């Protein structure tokens, strides 16, 4: 049974790799159906997780963090979506804009890092 499930997952992942590469604002705001809406939220959660993991790595290795979110804060999917959509509105983003880029800019707007005194 486990081999069958693993094979099905592998097939699903390799069947359309380009489709999962990116989500654009237009398709995020206007999903074709409920499955696409769910996929969009999963994508946004994954983008948030990747950005937070990158930030943690940068912090641990002394690099310039992308944004400075409080350590004790956990963003929900709804909060993440709100940040991304506010970023899109602020920038008057077109429908072909990548959702992940808008999220990063929104996180930077919402959780800016303090600049060193020398800047």
């Amino acid at each position: 049974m486990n081999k069958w499930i693993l094979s099905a997952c592998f097939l699903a992942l390799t069947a359309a790799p380009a489709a999962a590469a990116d989500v654009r604002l237009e398709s995020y705001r206007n999903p074709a159906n409920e499955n696409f809406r769910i996929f969009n939220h999963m994508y946004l959660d994954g983008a948030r997780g990747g950005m937070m993991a990158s930030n943690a790595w940068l912090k641990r290795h002394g690099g310039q963090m992308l944004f400075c979110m409080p350590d004790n804060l956990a963003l929900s999917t709804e909060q993440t979506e709100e940040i991304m959509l506010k970023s899109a509105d602020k920038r008057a983003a077109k429908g072909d804009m990548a959702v992940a880029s808008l999220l990063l800019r929104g996180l930077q707007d919402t959780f800016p890092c303090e600049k060193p005194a020398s800047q």
Side-chain angles (χ1 to χ4, degrees):
M1 179 74 161
N2 285 339
K3 288 182 183 181
W4 184 86
I5 292 171
L6 184 59
S7 297
C9 289
F10 179 75
L11 180 62
L13 291 172
T14 59
D22 205 359
V23 172
R24 302 293 173 168
L25 182 61
E26 175 64 27
S27 63
Y28 189 92
R29 283 188 167 154
N30 302 301
N33 58 45
E34 182 64 12
N35 287 338
F36 280 103
R37 187 189 68 75
I38 293 168
F39 171 80
N40 288 343
H41 285 174
M42 290 172 50
Y43 177 87
L44 193 63
D45 279 341
R48 176 193 62 211
M51 290 175 198
M52 293 179 77
S54 295
N55 234 17
W57 188 91
L58 288 167
K59 184 177 184 179
R60 186 175 32 234
H61 292 87
Q64 174 73 33
M65 290 180 29
L66 302 170
F67 52 92
C68 294
M69 194 170 99
D71 290 335
N72 62 347
L73 180 64
L75 291 178
S76 68
T77 301
E78 293 79 16
Q79 291 167 321
T80 303
E81 180 179 59
E82 183 179 338
I83 288 170
M84 184 276 294
L85 291 173
K86 281 184 180 179
S87 175
D89 291 343
K90 177 179 179 179
R91 291 165 176 78
K94 304 287 186 225
D96 64 342
M97 187 81 171
V99 166
S101 296
L102 292 168
L103 176 59
L104 176 57
R105 299 291 303 272
L107 289 169
Q108 291 170 334
D109 293 343
T110 306
F111 306 109
C113 297
E114 291 183 22
K115 296 186 179 188
S118 63
Q119 291 185 350

